[in-house]
Amino acid sequence: PVWNYDHLYTNIKDDIVSADLAAVNQECIFVANHSNVSAYPSFGSPTEIGDALVNAGFDIVEHATNHAFDKGTSAINETLDYWKSNHPDIKVLGIHDSQESADTITTVTCKDITFSLLNYTSTINGEEYDAIPSYMIDFLRSEKVTADVAKAKEAGDMVIAFLHTGEEYSTEPNQDQKNFLQLLLSQGVDIAICSHSHVLQNYETLTDDQGNEMLVYYSLGNFISTQKQPECLLGGMADIMITRDPQTSELSISDSQLIPLVTHYNYEKNEYSVYKLEDYSEELAGEHSVHEETSEPFTLESLKQQFNNVLAQQYTYD
């Protein structure tokens, strides 16, 4: 096979490239040896997936997911070696090869704004926590998060937290997730973007009585996948505009949107790609191989309806 995956992102590359900063959650860990590539339930992606992410225009790659330890410590080291050797400019989050790296807040500066970047996962599959060096994966734990956020606020102008948390296949955040979001809000995090549920959820700005504000995307669903459930084939991109006030120099989030995406796959034509919903067609929906997997509706209309339902959702906090 040709180990090139640029086709996955062809249809949305313009959007990714045009962003000043683009971040992506890389669900599966990389493996250097092609014979170690594997699918469900223990995932290993070829490093060429990383090349495709870079070619598509991503600047930040999050690796703290429940699959980060699917291939043990060796694959985490292979992944970090790959990034350092091939794409040293990419900001890699959530996994580390040393305590020093784990203790250092990753920052990225763009247009005179420095962002502190945090990335955590609630769990790992297999729960082999004892087998993992304590520095290797960033886990969503209150004590660690509180310490990290304090450092992150000193290191940058704005703090963005990427969380791999929530309940798989749920259309709404669970209580654990809400608790952590409240903690981040109270600590002064500016933006929290969540993944893990594989289905799209809504977004909103949370506030507290201390005057804190935090933009939250509860789940961006899947970016690209070959999952078999129609509801898992609608994902989203967070599109966020940050503005600096010329008089006061204060930073604010002046606009935020959720752009719906569709994962498209067609076994027969060997097509695998992601489209913006506005660019997707009834013809493509009809050719989608999900129809071989389920009799549930998958049409342009059903996708639009699902997205409208997501935007209508409201989540309550106790």
Side-chain angles (χ1 to χ4, degrees):
V2 179
W3 299 88
N4 182 305
Y5 298 95
D6 290 350
H7 59 272
L8 297 178
Y9 308 111
T10 308
N11 298 303
I12 55 161
K13 181 174 177 174
D14 289 352
D15 290 76
I16 300 166
V17 171
S18 66
D20 292 311
L21 282 177
V24 64
N25 172 65
Q26 174 55 37
E27 185 82 18
C28 313
I29 205 71
F30 293 158
V31 290
N33 189 329
H34 285 157
S35 64
N36 202 16
V37 169
S38 60
Y40 182 84
S42 190
F43 292 98
S45 290
T47 53
E48 286 86 353
I49 287 279
D51 299 337
L53 292 174
V54 175
N55 292 340
F58 287 107
D59 311 287
I60 300 160
V61 180
E62 309 136 39
H63 273 291
T65 78
N66 57 307
H67 292 291
F69 204 65
D70 279 9
K71 298 279 185 174
T73 55
S74 60
I76 290 180
N77 286 320
E78 283 169 24
T79 299
L80 290 164
D81 288 346
Y82 157 78
W83 286 119
K84 277 179 194 164
S85 306
N86 295 276
H87 306 289
D89 295 342
I90 297 294
K91 302 295 181 179
V92 177
L93 307 180
I95 54 172
H96 308 279
D97 54 10
S98 69
Q99 189 62 52
E100 185 189 7
S101 165
D103 291 340
T104 306
I105 300 296
T106 300
T107 62
V108 60
T109 301
C110 177
K111 294 188 171 176
D112 290 337
I113 303 172
T114 299
F115 296 93
S116 292
L117 308 171
L118 305 173
N119 179 209
Y120 305 100
T121 181
S122 294
T123 58
I124 52 160
N125 290 7
E127 303 198 4
E128 300 171 61
Y129 295 98
D130 298 345
I132 306 174
S134 59
Y135 59 76
M136 198 162 243
I137 300 174
D138 290 332
F139 285 109
L140 190 57
R141 306 290 182 261
S142 303
E143 218 167 279
K144 176 174 174 51
V145 170
T146 305
D148 284 353
V149 172
K151 285 195 288 188
K153 289 185 71 168
E154 286 183 21
D157 304 307
M158 293 189 94
V159 181
I160 306 177
F162 301 96
L163 311 180
H164 207 74
T165 186
E167 197 174 322
E168 287 190 305
Y169 309 109
S170 172
T171 54
E172 56 184 63
N174 64 8
Q175 194 56 50
D176 263 4
Q177 184 177 350
K178 290 178 188 172
N179 293 346
F180 270 106
L181 289 169
Q182 287 292 330
L183 175 67
L184 294 175
L185 171 66
S186 70
Q187 303 292 316
V189 170
D190 298 285
I191 300 169
I193 299 176
C194 305
S195 56
H196 181 52
S197 74
H198 301 294
V199 292
L200 193 59
Q201 298 174 11
N202 207 355
Y203 72 112
E204 66 177 326
T205 299
L206 296 178
T207 56
D208 67 11
D209 48 19
Q210 306 303 305
N212 294 306
E213 274 192 19
M214 183 173 75
L215 175 62
V216 177
Y217 288 81
Y218 289 97
S219 172
L220 293 180
N222 289 333
F223 190 46
I224 183 133
S225 75
T226 52
Q227 289 200 289
K228 315 300 185 203
Q229 306 87 339
E231 63 272 17
C232 297
L233 301 177
L234 179 77
M237 273 193 297
D239 188 5
I240 302 167
M241 174 86 70
I242 290 156
T243 308
R244 188 188 287 282
D245 186 301
Q247 267 75 49
T248 65
S249 285
E250 272 198 29
L251 295 170
S252 64
I253 296 168
S254 52
D255 190 31
S256 55
Q257 295 179 34
L258 180 57
I259 298 170
L261 303 175
V262 183
T263 283
H264 182 74
Y265 55 85
N266 181 325
Y267 302 149
E268 204 175 308
K269 294 185 178 176
N270 199 26
E271 288 176 350
Y272 300 88
S273 194
V274 56
Y275 289 82
K276 288 196 289 187
L277 179 57
E278 65 184 54
D279 297 334
Y280 203 58
S281 68
E282 197 62 78
E283 186 185 0
L284 284 167
E287 292 176 358
H288 203 298
S289 290
V290 71
H291 297 294
E292 295 174 32
E293 309 290 350
T294 178
S295 56
E296 288 178 56
F298 182 85
T299 62
L300 202 52
E301 191 49 46
S302 70
L303 288 162
K304 287 176 177 173
Q305 186 57 56
Q306 184 187 345
F307 184 59
N308 289 336
N309 292 343
V310 167
L311 292 182
Q313 287 178 352
Q314 294 186 326
Y315 312 120
T316 54
Y317 280 78
D318 300 334

